[in-house]
Amino acid sequence: MSKVVVIGTGTMGVGIAAGFLASGANIVMLGRSSEKALACLDSIQSCANSINTEWSKTNPSLQSGGIETWQDWNDVDFVIETVSEKLQLKQDIFAFLDQCVPPHIPIGSNSSGFPISDIAQDLPTAHRMFNAHYFMPAHIVPLVEIVTGQRSDLVLAEKLCQFYRAHGKKPVLVKKDIPGFLANRIQHALMREALSLVEEGIATPDDIDTAVRYSFGFRYAAVGPMTQKEISGWEGMTLAAELIYPSLSNITQPPSCVTNLVKSGKTGITKGAGFKDWPAHEAALMKQNYEQRLKAAFEVLKIAPDQD
């Protein structure tokens, strides 16, 4: 039975721990204090129950403790850091882990903004350090991006991908430490065009959502964009690209339609407003529907599963 140490007691840490727990791994949750880590154990179990009601039958352990006082590292298979996006904080934690975690154990960071080359800068065991980037909600979304840094060991990265597959996730190996890694680069290319269309008054946010969800987004639960074009044929795509590519947005900053929202504090559901107002009851319903749909999509992904 595997043993995973998760560092950080926020939403991502809870989701990551829950995903491993639901797959039968033993979990150690470490926080700034043992009290903070202990307080999130119920949430971890609840999230694990939401994706696998049978997980407890294998009797995996769920422990907690403080980062600075924890000493039981010898039988650990993987350590992942999920603390807030502050480079110095992450560097301090990795410097600590570099000293206390045996050098054969891989260490990951869930950072979406800081490359592992910067986090693990000048550390003696940087070869076993990687970005291990999840997407929210971490216990439901299958993807984990394993990103290598300048000194990361590619063989160990492949083994980490195998480790994730064994625990029910879908890892991708990103072989160069580039901004946004893989999925976020593709996502931001889409968002740049979507926000530009809103900015120019060509479409509303609701119409963009509908266009994506009920056309190519609908297909992507079945196959990804590359395979979909293998099915439909690349000839039509290349002909359309010659016409469309020159007119696509190439802005290098987010447009005013979204920056003005951020400046005014309208950053989305948690603040009660974004492009639209979100009364509390509508926000709660949307979050409920969102998670329910994600779980249904996850079941779709199990139909005629890909062979790893």
Side-chain angles (χ1 to χ4, degrees):
M1 189 177 285
S2 303
K3 185 175 182 179
V4 177
V5 176
V6 179
I7 298 174
T9 57
T11 301
M12 290 300 294
V14 167
I16 290 170
F20 277 115
L21 185 68
S23 70
N26 295 317
I27 300 298
V28 177
M29 172 59 73
L30 300 183
R32 284 177 292 178
S33 67
S34 56
E35 291 78 14
K36 285 184 68 67
L38 181 63
C40 70
L41 297 190
D42 286 345
S43 295
I44 293 172
Q45 293 183 71
S46 177
C47 285
N49 285 332
S50 73
I51 55 175
N52 179 15
T53 57
E54 305 291 314
W55 68 266
S56 60
K57 291 185 177 180
T58 59
N59 200 33
S61 64
L62 179 57
Q63 300 172 272
S64 63
I67 297 172
E68 295 183 356
T69 58
W70 189 261
Q71 297 181 351
D72 183 14
W73 302 100
N74 291 322
D75 58 346
V76 170
D77 295 285
F78 181 48
V79 179
I80 180 167
E81 164 274 312
T82 71
V83 302
S84 58
E85 287 287 288
K86 299 176 182 177
L87 180 59
Q88 187 61 58
L89 174 61
K90 292 178 182 292
Q91 288 175 330
D92 291 345
I93 288 174
F94 268 71
F96 171 77
L97 296 174
D98 179 74
Q99 295 296 315
C100 66
V101 178
H104 66 281
I105 298 172
I107 302 173
S109 171
N110 183 52
S111 176
S112 60
F114 300 118
I116 196 65
S117 297
D118 291 347
I119 295 172
Q121 190 175 25
D122 300 327
L123 295 180
T125 66
H127 68 280
R128 46 84 175 258
M129 298 175 181
F130 310 90
N131 282 100
H133 181 233
Y134 284 72
F135 290 77
M136 292 182 67
H139 62 297
I140 298 176
V141 179
L143 182 71
V144 182
E145 297 177 305
I146 306 302
V147 187
T148 58
Q150 295 173 359
R151 295 169 56 198
S152 301
D153 186 312
L154 191 58
V155 173
L156 188 55
E158 294 277 9
K159 290 181 179 179
L160 186 56
C161 287
Q162 293 172 10
F163 181 79
Y164 268 108
R165 291 188 192 101
H167 290 84
K169 288 295 188 181
K170 283 287 184 179
V172 291
L173 180 57
V174 184
K175 299 177 183 178
K176 188 175 182 180
D177 214 350
I178 56 175
F181 310 145
L182 179 59
N184 265 337
R185 290 182 72 88
I186 299 168
Q187 180 175 231
H188 276 272
L190 183 151
M191 286 306 303
R192 176 166 66 178
E193 184 62 30
L195 290 170
S196 293
L197 291 169
V198 173
E199 178 81 0
E200 295 171 18
I202 295 171
T204 67
D206 282 343
D207 282 339
I208 287 170
D209 279 353
T210 299
V212 172
R213 287 185 64 203
Y214 294 96
S215 62
F216 62 86
F218 177 77
R219 299 188 304 209
Y220 288 169
V223 295
M226 303 299 286
T227 301
Q228 196 281 318
K229 291 307 177 189
E230 291 282 312
I231 294 169
S232 65
W234 289 101
E235 300 93 337
M237 182 270 168
T238 54
L239 288 172
E242 291 178 2
L243 175 65
I244 296 171
Y245 279 15
S247 69
L248 290 175
S249 172
N250 61 1
I251 58 174
T252 59
Q253 296 291 330
S256 60
C257 66
V258 69
T259 57
N260 287 342
L261 287 177
V262 172
K263 290 176 183 177
S264 63
K266 296 181 178 181
T267 56
I269 280 181
T270 57
K271 296 297 185 180
F275 278 103
K276 60 190 292 185
D277 292 332
W278 290 100
H281 66 285
E282 289 187 17
L285 180 61
M286 176 52 70
K287 288 180 179 179
Q288 178 182 327
N289 289 345
Y290 177 56
E291 187 157 323
Q292 187 175 0
R293 290 167 183 168
L294 284 176
K295 290 176 181 176
F298 185 71
E299 293 304 314
V300 169
L301 292 174
K302 296 178 182 178
I303 298 173
D306 299 327
Q307 298 299 314
D308 288 322

